[in-house]
């Protein structure tokens, strides 16, 4: 079927179509109830009219002096019972009207037997319903044909019909409203699975590209399989990109390592201050580049590994201690020392070790990088309810006027750190890890001086 | 006197009145200049005068031209001559019904019509404004210490027991000459078979037949007759002049109640004026004036329930039956056969 109207929503279209159908059915209901009512009112009116006509016809008597007429009082009284109708009658013997209204219309049909014939005509400006009965009586020994015609205006009948029509209209309206409610519910039920599918897909994290496996109605299956196909292709494209980044980082780091080795050798064999200074610069630049490349690699890894779900049971205390130990040589270069405080008992967490280490390492790196030296960097692990909170606090330059949330964006760097080399990826990695592990991350200025980074994770 | 009542020179209304017999004609002139509502009625002017006065008290600018004629003449004036009256008032329910049924009345709707009980109105065309029981008048003194008859069988019994007392001293309407008498007789006939027994017994006692109620009452008061059967009760609402010697009996088996009706003819020149007078008749003020001053009992459904023997003659198309000429001939023949001795 072609629908001439275009709707933006299936629901709207369904509702409109259902309402149209309901309106049509209501109208049909109204029309048919009214038709039935009219027919039955007509039928009952006819039966009274017919009875009155027969009653008069049966009282006609033959005899020696002609036809004797006796109109039963009840015949007319009965017809007037509604109090609304004028009545007319005509009695014919042979072709002559002997009494009544001489111009009352005659029936078209031939009158046979005592069964009344009914017909409708206009008379004296009003539509009237008539009944006619014919019979024979013996007058002076010969049969004479007599006909009785009784007519009645239809005011009373029309009043009843219009009353019934009103009821039929009310019925139709009621039916329509009920259908309207049902239409809305139906539309809701039909659109429901689509909505819930959309909601389920929408609720997913940005990295979640798993296929949709929830059961859906048959009609939605093609959509879901198309969606799943799309997601599979997307996953493949993503992993290709990540692989590429990882490889690129690797390809940068290897020559940097070679460069570093050669610079160190040159440092050892050179005596010249000028050259040594240059070599130090080269070494520093190589280190920064290598770290940036490392972060690129980490970022790619985080994105990739989020999908891999290589989770294991870990003790968060151990992870922190490991990261701290690895960072200690760098910290010592700036005369910084760590102060680690952890709970006594284990802090169990179910997570991908690489991701977790990468997050903590980036936070510790930042603390070192943005501290001035000769200070303490605090690593605090606390457990509250089902959440482990990991705080890394330093006494460095702080975030300046920047908002922590803005700094977690990809490649975002502070306005007060132009003297420090960095990629702007560190906090992005932390944020993504937090999200992958269903935790949260925030960084803010610390009371007095320095920054405070807080990573909260749900316990296993 | 508040109203100047003038007997009108015939010249002014001659054209109007030419085709039928007028019994009385009066113009009740208004205080100020205004329209004239012309009413054709079967009710005597003396009876209706206080009602017209009450109407003019509320409508001081309307003059009322009041014409009185017999029921038959009133019917003919409208049915045959299409006389241009604004309101037709008649005690002949059957003839009024015939006019209304034949489309010679105009529909009239109003608050007052709305307030009428269903049995007092027909299709917003014919309206009852008073209800008058049809009674038996007796001379108490003629009965000695015998109890007065309370129903038709009692009446039959006493007439059979004492023919000498009643011989030539029973009065009733001649249905052939009196429209009201015909209506009462036909309604009696349709109501019970005892009517024909009563007619036969009366017939055996050489009854006197009257065309007018007044004559019948006069004869009763003078003692020429001792019983008057089927008299419109409103004529004796003020009591009989003979005091306790007379008795007004509402028969317990059934007492017909005549509805005096009004209609606005289709031929009316000023139907709105006719309607205005009609609304007044149906209004509280009009009903009070009718009931109190004209002694035409007001329309009151409660009066019927407290007097269960009272049966209002139904204002429906059944009334057309005895209007039929063949039916009328036949009924009068049968009646004559029963009542008139060969
Ligand atoms: N401990 C900290 N103290 C001061 N500023 C910090 C600290 N950690 C992060 N920042 C600010 O957040 C920015 C983003 O950090 P990050 O994503 O790790 O990038 P990068 O360190 O490579 O610049 C940094 O440029 C810096 O301005
Ligand atoms: Mg960083």
């Amino acid at each position: 079927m072609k629908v001439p109207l275009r709707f933006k929503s299936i629901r709207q279209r369904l509702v409109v179509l259902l309402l149209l159908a309901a309106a049509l059915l209501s109208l049909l209901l109204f029309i048919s109830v009214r038709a039935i009512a009219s027919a039955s009112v007509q039928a009952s009116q006819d039966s009274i009219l017919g009875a009155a006509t027969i009653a008069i016809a049966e009282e006609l008597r033959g005899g020696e002096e002609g036809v004797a007429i006796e109109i039963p009082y009840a015949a007319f009284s009965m017809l007037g019972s509604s109090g609304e109708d004028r009545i007319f009658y005509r009695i014919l013997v042979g072709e002559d009207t002997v009494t009544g209204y001489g111009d009352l219309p005659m029936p078209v049909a031939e009158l046979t037997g005592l069964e009344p014939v009914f017909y409708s005509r206009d008379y004296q400006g009003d539509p009237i319903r008539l009944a006619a009965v014919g019979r024979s009586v013996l007058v002076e020994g010969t049969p004479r044909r007599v006909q009785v015609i009784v007519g009645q205006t239809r005011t009373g009948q029309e009043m009843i019909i219009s009353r019934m029509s009103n009821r039929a209209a009310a019925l139709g309206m009621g039916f329509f409203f009920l259908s309207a409610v049902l239409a809305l519910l139906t539309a809701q039920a039909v659109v429901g699975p689509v909505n819930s599918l959309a909601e389920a897909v929408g609720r997913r994290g940005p990295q979640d590209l798993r296929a949709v496996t929830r059961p859906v109605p048959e009609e939605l299956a093609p959509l879901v399989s198309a969606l799943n196909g799309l997601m599979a292709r997307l996953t493949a494209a993503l992993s290709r990109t990540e692989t590429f980044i990882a490889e690129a980082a690797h390809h940068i780091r290897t020559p940097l390592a070679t460069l570093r080795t050669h610079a160190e050798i040159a440092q050892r064999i050179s005596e010249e201050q000028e050259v040594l200074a240059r070599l130090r610069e080269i070494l520093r630049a190589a280190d920064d580049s290598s770290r940036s490349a490392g972060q690129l690699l980490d970022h790619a890894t985080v994105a990739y590994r989020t999908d891999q779900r290589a989770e294991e049971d870990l003790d968060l205390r151990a992870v922190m201690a490991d990261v701290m130990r690895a960072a200690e040589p760098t910290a010592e270069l700036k005369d910084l020392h760590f102060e680690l405080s952890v709970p006594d008992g284990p802090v169990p967490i179910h997570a991908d070790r690489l991701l977790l280490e990468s997050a903590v390492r980036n936070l510790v790196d930042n603390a070192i990088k943005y501290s001035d030296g000769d200070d303490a960097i605090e690593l605090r692990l606390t457990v509250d309810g089902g959440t482990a909170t990991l705080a890394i606090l330093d006494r460095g330059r702080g975030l300046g006027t920047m908002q922590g949330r803005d700094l977690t964006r990809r490649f975002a760097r502070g306005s007060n750190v132009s003297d420090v080399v960095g990629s702007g990826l560190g906090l992005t990695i932390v944020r993504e890890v937090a999200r992958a592990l269903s935790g949260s991350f925030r960084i803010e200025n610390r009371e007095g001086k320095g920054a405070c980074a807080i990573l909260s994770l749900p316990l296993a | 006197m508040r109203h100047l009542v003038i007997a009108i020179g015939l010249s002014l209304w001659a054209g109007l009145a030419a085709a039928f017999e007028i019994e009385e004609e009066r113009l009740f002139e208004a205080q100020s200049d205004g329209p004239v509502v012309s009413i054709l009625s079967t009710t005597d002017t003396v009876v209706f005068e206080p009602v017209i006065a009450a109407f003019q008290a509320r409508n001081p600018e309307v003059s009322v031209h009041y014409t009185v004629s017999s029921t038959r003449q009133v019917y003919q004036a409208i049915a045959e001559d299409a006389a241009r009256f604004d309101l037709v008032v008649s005690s002949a329910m059957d003839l009024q019904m015939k006019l209304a049924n034949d489309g010679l009345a105009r529909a009239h709707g109003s608050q007052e019509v709305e307030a009428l009980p269903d049995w007092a109105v027909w299709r917003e065309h014919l309206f009852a404004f008073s209800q008058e029981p049809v009674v038996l008048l007796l001379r108490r003194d003629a009965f000695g210490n015998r109890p007065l008859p309370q129903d038709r069988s009692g009446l039959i019994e006493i007439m059979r027991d004492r023919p000498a007392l009643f011989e030539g001293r029973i009065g009733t309407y001649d249905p052939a000459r009196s429209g009201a008498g015909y209506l009462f007789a036909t309604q009696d006939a349709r109501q019970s078979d005892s009517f024909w027994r009563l007619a036969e017994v009366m017939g055996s006692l050489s009854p006197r037949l009257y065309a007018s109620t007044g004559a019948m009452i006069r004869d009763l008061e003078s003692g020429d007759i001792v019983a008057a059967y089927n008299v419109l009760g409103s004529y004796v609402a003020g009591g009989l002049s003979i005091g306790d010697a007379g008795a007004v009996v509402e028969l317990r088996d059934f007492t017909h109640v005549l509805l005096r009706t009004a209609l606005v003819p289709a031929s009316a020149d000023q139907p709105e004026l006719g309607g205005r007078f009609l609304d007044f008749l149906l209004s509280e003020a009009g009903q009070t004036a009718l009931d109190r001053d004209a002694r035409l009992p007001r329309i009151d459904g409660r009066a019927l329930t407290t007097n269960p023997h009272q049966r209002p003659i139904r204002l429906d198309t059944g009334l057309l039956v005895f209007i039929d000429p063949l039916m009328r001939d036949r009924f009068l023949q049968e009646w004559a056969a029963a009542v008139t001795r060969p």
Side-chain angles (χ1 to χ4, degrees):
Chain A
M1 194 179 92
K2 197 171 172 274
V3 183
L5 295 162
R6 295 256 161 253
F7 297 104
K8 280 194 191 132
S9 93
I10 294 182
R11 198 187 138 106
Q12 229 175 50
R13 179 191 297 225
L14 254 177
V15 168
V16 168
L17 286 178
L18 287 173
L19 286 186
L20 280 177
L24 196 73
L25 285 177
S26 306
L27 193 71
L28 279 177
L29 182 73
F30 166 69
I31 291 172
S32 50
V33 168
R34 200 179 54 170
I36 291 167
S38 305
S40 56
V41 171
Q42 173 88 279
S44 67
Q45 207 73 5
D46 276 358
S47 73
I48 297 174
L49 192 60
T53 313
I54 290 172
I56 296 170
E58 284 183 339
E59 288 297 330
L60 296 175
R61 301 258 185 278
E64 291 311 308
E65 288 140 40
V67 180
I69 287 164
E70 168 83 61
I71 302 172
Y73 200 87
F76 282 3
S77 201
M78 185 161 68
L79 286 177
S81 57
S82 76
E84 289 303 330
D85 287 310
R86 299 161 63 190
I87 61 170
F88 310 100
Y89 63 100
R90 179 178 181 182
I91 299 175
L92 298 99
V93 176
E95 297 297 311
D96 305 325
T97 301
V98 292
T99 191
Y101 298 73
D103 54 347
L104 201 62
M106 297 288 291
V108 182
E110 192 66 28
L111 300 178
T112 50
L114 246 184
E115 283 303 298
V117 170
F118 297 99
Y119 52 108
S120 302
R121 294 279 186 287
D122 273 359
Y123 183 67
Q124 288 193 1
D126 280 327
I128 62 168
R129 184 78 175 160
L130 297 117
V133 170
R135 58 174 294 210
S136 292
V137 292
L138 277 180
V139 179
E140 293 165 347
T142 45
R144 296 289 311 266
R145 180 109 190 112
V146 292
Q147 295 175 73
V148 177
I149 303 168
V150 178
Q152 183 179 27
T153 55
R154 314 176 62 149
T155 322
Q157 189 178 333
E158 262 146 31
M159 264 170 51
I160 299 174
I161 289 174
S162 92
R163 209 159 41 228
M164 286 188 157
S165 289
N166 287 345
R167 295 222 188 112
L171 188 70
M173 289 289 250
F175 180 79
F176 177 74
F177 282 120
L178 193 69
S179 315
V181 171
L182 290 179
L184 289 174
L185 292 178
T186 307
Q188 191 65 50
V190 168
V191 178
V194 179
N195 284 344
S196 73
L197 175 67
E199 210 176 290
V201 173
R203 220 184 308 118
R204 289 180 171 202
Q207 313 291 349
D208 191 347
L209 292 176
R210 283 170 303 144
V212 175
T213 53
R214 70 202 319 274
V216 291
E218 232 170 78
E219 289 79 3
L220 288 180
L223 176 68
V224 168
S225 80
L227 183 69
N228 284 347
L230 177 68
M231 292 213 281
R233 287 199 298 282
L234 205 60
T235 312
L238 219 57
S239 85
R240 261 202 307 281
T241 314
E242 275 151 9
T243 314
F244 170 77
I245 293 170
E247 268 173 21
H250 186 67
H251 283 302
I252 294 166
R253 279 215 291 196
T254 314
L256 279 177
T258 316
L259 175 71
R260 200 172 196 289
T261 315
H262 286 297
E264 273 174 347
I265 293 167
Q267 229 177 2
R268 244 174 276 139
I269 56 180
S270 172
E271 305 271 295
E272 240 171 286
Q273 285 309 306
E274 181 80 354
V275 177
L276 284 174
R278 292 292 155 112
L279 282 173
R280 257 199 310 283
E281 282 301 309
I282 291 172
L283 275 174
R284 212 170 73 85
D287 281 350
D288 285 336
S289 302
S290 160
R291 201 181 299 120
S292 291
Q295 275 178 323
L296 267 175
L297 183 60
D298 276 357
H299 183 252
T301 311
V302 170
Y304 181 65
R305 285 193 76 104
T306 310
D307 298 339
Q308 302 302 313
R309 310 254 140 187
E311 289 166 352
E312 52 189 308
D313 290 319
L314 303 167
D315 185 352
L316 201 49
R317 296 182 307 171
V319 175
M320 281 180 73
D322 285 352
V323 174
M324 192 185 75
R325 210 168 303 118
E328 249 158 8
T330 334
E332 270 164 24
L333 282 177
K334 289 183 82 172
D335 280 334
L336 294 164
H337 62 277
F338 292 111
E339 284 172 8
L340 181 67
S341 78
V342 292
D344 288 339
V347 182
I349 193 157
H350 189 73
D352 183 325
R353 173 190 281 273
L354 262 171
L355 295 191
L356 203 52
E357 277 183 354
S358 151
V360 180
R361 184 171 57 243
N362 271 289
L363 292 178
V364 171
D365 276 356
N366 278 356
I368 296 171
K369 222 163 64 168
Y370 300 113
S371 288
D372 299 329
D374 226 7
D375 267 324
I377 294 172
E378 287 173 54
L379 304 181
R380 277 189 217 151
L381 179 60
T382 52
V383 174
D384 179 29
T387 314
T389 305
L390 206 160
I392 289 129
L393 307 106
D394 62 58
R395 284 291 177 199
R397 65 182 75 185
L399 304 183
T401 55
M402 300 281 290
Q403 287 296 310
R405 185 194 311 236
D406 297 332
L407 294 172
T408 62
R409 271 188 278 119
R410 210 181 274 208
F411 301 117
R413 300 210 64 221
S415 49
N416 58 342
V417 294
S418 47
D419 58 320
V420 184
V421 183
S423 62
L425 275 174
L427 294 187
T428 312
I429 292 167
V430 179
R431 188 192 64 192
E432 276 167 11
V433 169
R435 190 177 293 164
L437 300 182
S438 315
S440 68
F441 170 69
R442 67 178 205 273
I443 183 166
E444 56 203 25
N445 276 318
R446 196 180 169 192
E447 281 267 330
K449 190 172 181 282
C452 161
I454 295 168
L455 177 64
S456 301
L457 297 170
L459 289 179
Chain B
M1 205 175 166
R2 264 188 341 117
H3 301 278
L4 189 60
V5 183
I6 299 174
I8 307 181
L10 284 176
S11 58
L12 184 59
W13 304 99
L16 188 76
F20 66 100
E21 289 164 31
I22 288 172
E23 289 172 9
E24 286 179 88
E25 195 173 19
R26 262 219 228 157
L27 179 68
F28 294 79
E29 209 166 88
Q31 283 173 327
S32 51
D33 259 8
V36 180
V37 57
S38 61
I39 300 173
L40 179 58
S41 169
T42 62
T43 311
D44 292 347
T45 315
V46 263
V47 176
F48 226 61
E49 205 177 320
V51 180
I52 295 171
F55 172 76
Q56 287 186 323
R58 275 170 187 73
N59 302 272
E61 82 288 0
V62 184
S63 298
V64 179
H65 177 230
Y66 193 73
T67 308
V68 179
S69 193
S70 72
T71 51
R72 270 270 150 202
Q73 291 297 315
V74 166
Y75 170 76
Q76 271 165 18
I78 303 301
E80 280 151 33
D81 310 339
R84 304 168 131 177
F85 288 94
D86 302 322
L87 190 67
V88 173
V89 172
S90 172
S91 55
M93 296 172 70
D94 43 5
L95 295 172
Q96 293 277 82
M97 176 55 74
K98 173 86 174 148
L99 289 178
N101 185 68
D102 289 359
L104 299 172
R106 226 173 248 269
H108 174 74
S110 68
Q111 228 172 299
E112 286 78 8
V113 169
E114 211 91 315
L116 273 180
D118 279 351
W119 50 266
V121 58
W122 186 74
R123 307 182 76 220
E124 298 201 325
H125 280 68
L126 187 55
F127 312 90
F129 62 87
S130 86
Q131 55 189 53
E132 302 159 36
V134 181
V135 298
L136 169 69
L137 301 182
L138 295 174
R139 276 200 79 102
R140 209 186 289 273
D141 45 4
F143 284 78
N145 37 15
R146 289 188 64 145
L148 298 182
Q150 293 299 321
D151 51 26
R152 283 172 183 74
S153 38
L155 182 62
I156 292 170
E157 203 174 303
I158 199 164
M159 286 194 297
R160 275 190 181 145
D161 285 0
R162 306 180 62 192
L165 174 63
F166 291 100
E167 177 64 34
R169 298 180 75 192
I170 303 170
T172 190
Y173 290 109
D174 179 358
R177 288 186 293 148
S178 157
Y182 180 72
L183 176 62
F184 300 156
T186 51
Q187 290 294 324
D188 270 2
R190 110 182 169 77
Q191 190 71 246
S192 88
D193 294 332
S194 66
F195 170 74
W196 290 113
R197 275 201 292 138
L198 181 65
E200 262 159 36
V201 175
M202 275 202 285
S204 68
L205 295 168
S206 340
R208 297 201 193 183
L209 301 181
Y210 294 86
S212 97
T213 317
M216 189 159 31
I217 293 173
R218 266 195 308 279
D219 281 1
L220 185 91
E221 284 169 343
S222 71
D224 286 351
I225 56 173
V226 294
Y229 177 73
N230 265 359
V231 178
L232 198 48
S234 54
Y235 279 84
V236 291
L240 288 161
S241 69
I242 49 173
D244 269 0
V248 179
V249 178
E250 291 189 6
L251 293 172
R252 297 281 138 185
D253 48 350
F254 62 87
T255 290
H256 282 303
V257 176
L258 175 101
L259 303 179
R260 203 173 285 264
T261 57
L263 59 82
V264 179
S267 56
D269 273 339
Q270 315 165 90
E272 48 319 306
L273 265 186
R276 198 153 132 199
F277 197 93
L278 171 60
D279 284 343
F280 171 75
L281 287 181
L282 304 179
S283 71
E284 185 52 40
Q287 288 281 293
T288 309
L290 281 162
D291 193 81
R292 200 189 50 203
D293 305 328
R295 295 192 181 272
L296 299 175
R298 62 187 303 154
I299 293 296
D300 182 8
R302 268 169 318 176
L304 301 176
T305 38
T306 49
N307 298 302
H309 60 285
Q310 290 192 355
R311 307 239 173 104
I313 298 173
R314 289 194 47 173
L315 199 55
D316 69 21
T317 41
L319 290 167
L320 298 176
V321 168
F322 288 106
I323 289 297
D324 181 90
L326 294 185
M327 287 294 288
R328 182 179 159 88
D329 289 351
R330 198 184 136 112
F331 180 83
L332 291 177
Q333 247 168 45
E334 271 174 41
W335 191 86
V339 174
T340 329
R341 308 211 77 191

